[in-house]
Amino acid sequence: MVPLSAYLAVAAILFTIGVFGVLFKRNSIIVLLSIELMLNAANINLVAFSKFGIYPDTAGQIFSLFVIAVAAVEAAVGLAILILYFRNRGTININEMDIMKR
Amino acid sequence: MTGEYIAFFIFAFMSITGAVLVINLTRVIHMVLAMGLTFLGVAGLFLILNAEFLAFVQVLIYAGAITIMMALGVMMTNQHHEKQVRRRWHSFFAFVGAVTIGGTVFYGIYKTPWVCNPSGFDENNILTIGERMFTEYVVPFEIASVLLLVALIGAVLIAKREGDQ
Amino acid sequence: MYMYNLAWIVPLLPLISFVLLVAFGNRLKERAAYLGIFFILGSFVLSTIIFTQKYLQKGEDYLFTFRWFRAGDSDYGIAGGSIFNLGFEVTELNALMLFVVTAISLAVFVYSIGYMRGDERLPVFYSYLSLFAFSMLGLVISPNLFQAFICWELVGATSFLLIGFYFYKESAKVAAKKAFLVTRLADLGILIGILLLFWQVGSFEYRDIFAAVEGGALAPWFITLTAILIFIGAAGKSGQFPFHVWLPDAMEGPTPVSALIHAATMVAAGVYLVARLFPLFAASTVALLVVAIVGAFTAIFAATIALTQNDIKRVLAYSTVSQLGYMMLALGSLGYIAGVFHLFTHAFFKALLFLAAGSVIHAVGTQNIKEMGGIGSQMKLTRAVFLIGALAISGFPLLSGFFSKDQILMAAYGSGNTFLFWMSLLTAVLTAFYMFRLYFLTFGGKVRTAISAHESPRSMTIPMAVLAFFAVFAGYIEFFGFGEWITAGGTIAQEISGPVWIMIGSIAVALLGIGLAWYVYGRDADATLAKAPKPAPLYKLLYNKYYVDELYDTAIVKPYTLFGKFLILFDKYVIEGMVQLAVHISVGLGRFGARLQSGQIQAYMLVTVLGIATLLISLAVRGLFN
């Protein structure tokens, strides 16, 4: 019987790596990918609690479904924006996207 | 050492390896592929957790659609020049921040006395999900579909080439 | 019908003149002189009346005071227990001074019409002169030290204005500053003295101070201390050693100014103050000795310097310093009568000498006596009055200076300071010598100057003649009971009677000095000048005024300037530095803050993550996970 904490630990590790990727990678697509990683970690948590929690309930899995849907949507729109940006500026290096400083 | 343990370790190892590779590989397309590996590992974890439907959806959507989409995106935004800007302070603090978050969560996990009631989910999972989806959660379901439609149209509009109709 | 109660008008008239001249001077231009003369004439008439009335009625002083403002109370109530009073009084000394100051002022005012003709700042000149007259007269009739000090400082300020009248000359500016600073430094003494006196006596009024002295309420050492402090201030104004350095340089001012201020009035203010506070001084033998020694020393010191100077006005300036030393010597020897008498006569003949010198300068255009000579035949009146003045100052018998100088010598001898007596006798020889050196080099011999001299206009010669009259006959006032009159207020004074040989001695030294001067310079001035030997060390010492100025420069001025420069640096680097530090901190903070908003997305996300991390840590530490 794998304990609950093991699943949670895995999710925590994935989340941490995802955070680091968001903060550190230069390519914006990898940033988006790291965001997806974080969402996956959250999903693992949800499903684990849906099985092992105090009141085991399939609601966790249903919620995960929605998370996946929204994540897909967000990835698609994000990618579209990135492609547009690349077309206009020629770079997707996140360090060079600093128009917000004005 | 039951089979469950072995399976768990294998899938956990897959996910974590994939994630670490995403950070440490050099070429972007390799990173995308490593991500796909992670998604597959996560799907395996779902299987062990008796969430079969979710596992298949994960493989379909994540490892299938999203990974391919990202790969296509990478191919379309191919950068040739790679400027290495050393941001020491930034990487240090990023590392610190990430580790802190992870560390505290870990601390929390192992401090909390979890009550484990392994429930029986051996019955038909998909049936339960389907029933609940269309009775209790029908409104979020419909909204999610609207969201998907809007995203579809929006993405097409955003990425359209100018001058087209 | 006594007019003492109108004495306050005497200083008021020049003040009105000042205000009017400041307001309308530009429009009046040359006629401003007549306005000034009109008012000072009024003052002169009134003070003559008061003087003669007081002379005939001695003993009763007139006093009027009123409270100016209230700031605490005093036990001595003149005006209801108040401390800060103003007013005026008419004593014998005051009346005498009123007469002298207004007479000389009138002479100078009239003289200046001719001397300052053509100067476009004539109205300004007369306004300064009027203001000076006001402050000097105010000083003289003050009934208390408070008002006296106010007028004292006013006198200093107006003399600054007058010395620096030719402000476009660098030397005039420097001289004015020097005069003001040196006297201001000396005034520190008088200020502390006044404050100390007030602290112990509780009042500024002369009457109260004298009452405290006589009543024995003050400790002897205290009386000595305050007397010496006040004497320091008087020494500054009267140019006694070591404060004499400003007087010769003050000759940068126009000659009428030198006549008025540095011959007759302002420098006499120091002597006047000592005389006025005579009961205070008389109560302390130490103070009297200090006054006498300083006076005698200054007298001989200045006389030796005067032997070598070539500028006509400088010789007269050192002569003034020397004669003031005589007056201090007299006062210090308890010779109140002698000192005041000499003050009276000196005012006339010294002013006369200065005006005559001015007449010469006006005609010839130079102040260097080596460039003059032989102009006696062309300026007969000037030569005559100058001769009268020179004879008077040398103590030639039957002229005014003879009587007053004789009394000083007797007082010095009688007080037991025999060393000082012999010093002053020697000084008398030197006085006669340098005076006549000046006379012979200026008027005698062959013509050495290129400019042809002409006699001065009547506006200048008439005042000189009047002053000459006084220089001759003012001394005869002694036969009209001057001594008893001036001490009628109860001032302690010594009996002026000494051995007859003193009088003979003073005549002898005067003739000796004149004879020597005639021998060296009178017979053939040009020859003497021609075979002038190379300057001996002694000559150099005297010519350079004993290097006192240079000493002051290195010992006092330079360190002080250095200190000032240090303070400037301190201000620039430390205080400015602190301000700059504040600026830099603000700017640095701003720049740092600006860097936070870099537009870098990952930087923003980093901040968010760090925030979350902090939150999580704080939650963990707080124990919410338990």
Side-chain angles (χ1 to χ4, degrees), chain A residues 57-99:
Chain A
D57 197 357
T58 25
Q61 296 178 21
I62 297 175
F63 199 64
S64 290
L65 275 174
F66 286 117
V67 170
I68 291 179
V70 171
V73 162
E74 164 248 325
V77 174
L79 200 58
I81 294 176
L82 269 182
I83 290 179
L84 183 63
Y85 191 88
F86 178 76
R87 218 183 281 149
N88 281 335
R89 299 286 167 133
T91 177
I92 49 169
N93 188 339
I94 202 162
N95 293 334
E96 292 172 22
M97 303 179 186
D98 58 358
I99 310 175

Side-chain angles (χ1 to χ4, degrees), chain C residues 317-508:
Chain C
Y318 283 108
S319 168
T320 304
V321 174
S322 178
Q323 296 299 307
L324 288 167
Y326 263 120
M327 292 179 224
M328 291 296 188
L329 168 65
L331 288 173
S333 312
L334 277 181
Y336 181 80
I337 305 171
V340 176
F341 193 25
H342 198 60
L343 179 65
F344 182 61
T345 56
H346 172 266
F348 292 116
F349 56 69
K350 189 46 71 63
L352 169 65
L353 283 169
F354 265 108
L355 292 186
S359 171
V360 169
I361 296 171
H362 187 75
V364 173
T366 176
Q367 292 181 260
N368 191 341
I369 56 179
K370 288 203 167 130
E371 293 171 16
M372 299 178 199
I375 56 178
S377 47
Q378 288 141 319
M379 301 180 71
K380 289 205 170 59
L381 185 75
T382 308
R383 170 191 191 167
V385 296
F386 194 93
L387 181 62
I388 292 176
L391 286 173
I393 198 174
S394 310
F396 196 80
L398 299 183
L399 295 181
S400 59
F402 165 68
F403 292 107
S404 54
K405 199 172 274 198
D406 195 38
Q407 292 211 350
I408 294 180
L409 290 172
M410 284 206 233
Y413 184 76
S415 71
N417 302 323
T418 31
F419 177 64
L420 298 179
F421 168 73
W422 290 109
M423 261 172 75
S424 48
L425 209 57
L426 179 62
T427 313
V429 179
L430 295 174
T431 307
F433 181 74
Y434 69 65
M435 225 44 233
F436 274 89
R437 166 180 177 264
L438 191 63
Y439 172 75
F440 286 127
L441 279 178
T442 309
F443 293 101
K446 290 192 265 297
V447 180
R448 282 192 292 274
T449 175
I451 306 173
S452 64
H454 56 274
E455 189 54 80
S456 299
R458 258 184 313 177
S459 57
M460 292 165 69
T461 51
I462 292 182
M464 290 199 287
V466 171
L467 284 175
F469 172 79
F470 277 109
V472 173
F473 293 110
Y476 292 115
I477 202 174
E478 184 187 359
F479 299 124
F480 289 91
F482 181 79
E484 297 125 30
W485 174 70
I486 198 88
T487 52
T491 329
I492 315 160
Q494 220 190 33
E495 274 288 313
I496 302 298
S497 60
V500 176
W501 64 266
I502 292 184
M503 179 161 23
I504 300 179
S506 69
I507 299 178

Side-chain angles (χ1 to χ4, degrees), chain A residues 31-73:
Chain A
V31 170
L32 278 176
L33 225 45
S34 304
I35 295 175
E36 299 300 321
L37 187 58
M38 287 200 281
L39 286 164
N40 268 296
N43 272 348
I44 298 179
N45 256 356
L46 280 169
V47 173
F49 274 115
S50 100
K51 177 168 179 194
F52 284 111
I54 301 183
Y55 298 113
D57 197 357
T58 25
Q61 296 178 21
I62 297 175
F63 199 64
S64 290
L65 275 174
F66 286 117
V67 170
I68 291 179
V70 171
V73 162

Side-chain angles (χ1 to χ4, degrees), chain A residues 1 7 16 23-27 33 36-37 40 47 51 57-58 71 73 79 87 91-92 95-96, chain B residues 5 23 35 39 48 50 54 58 62 69-70 77 79 82-83 87 90-91 98 132 148 151 159-160:
Chain A
M1 176 55 48
Y7 290 105
T16 311
L23 291 179
F24 192 64
K25 299 307 273 182
R26 260 175 296 113
N27 199 325
L33 225 45
E36 299 300 321
L37 187 58
N40 268 296
V47 173
K51 177 168 179 194
D57 197 357
T58 25
V73 162
L79 200 58
R87 218 183 281 149
T91 177
I92 49 169
N95 293 334
E96 292 172 22
Chain B
Y5 273 120
I23 301 299
M35 202 67 196
F39 292 149
I48 303 177
N50 297 119
L54 208 54
Q58 166 92 355
Y62 263 109
M69 197 170 62
M70 292 295 175
T77 62
Q79 293 185 114
E82 291 280 321
K83 280 177 301 194
R87 300 175 293 167
H90 183 87
S91 65
R132 293 187 76 179
L148 282 165
K160 212 167 62 143

Side-chain angles (χ1 to χ4, degrees), chain C residues 83-121:
Chain C
I83 302 172
F84 297 102
N85 308 314
L86 295 179
F88 65 95
E89 66 174 345
V90 181
T91 63
E92 288 79 16
L93 184 62
N94 286 357
L96 184 72
M97 288 300 292
L98 279 179
F99 175 69
V100 168
V101 173
T102 47
I104 310 268
S105 299
L106 182 62
V108 167
F109 271 58
V110 174
Y111 180 88
S112 299
I113 299 180
Y115 191 83
M116 303 291 286
R117 182 180 298 276
D119 194 326
E120 55 186 21
R121 292 174 63 217

Side-chain angles (χ1 to χ4, degrees), chain C residues 144-159:
Chain C
N144 55 46
L145 279 173
F146 173 66
Q147 186 176 339
F149 188 70
I150 296 177
C151 293
W152 182 271
E153 294 298 331
L154 255 179
V155 166
T158 44
S159 81

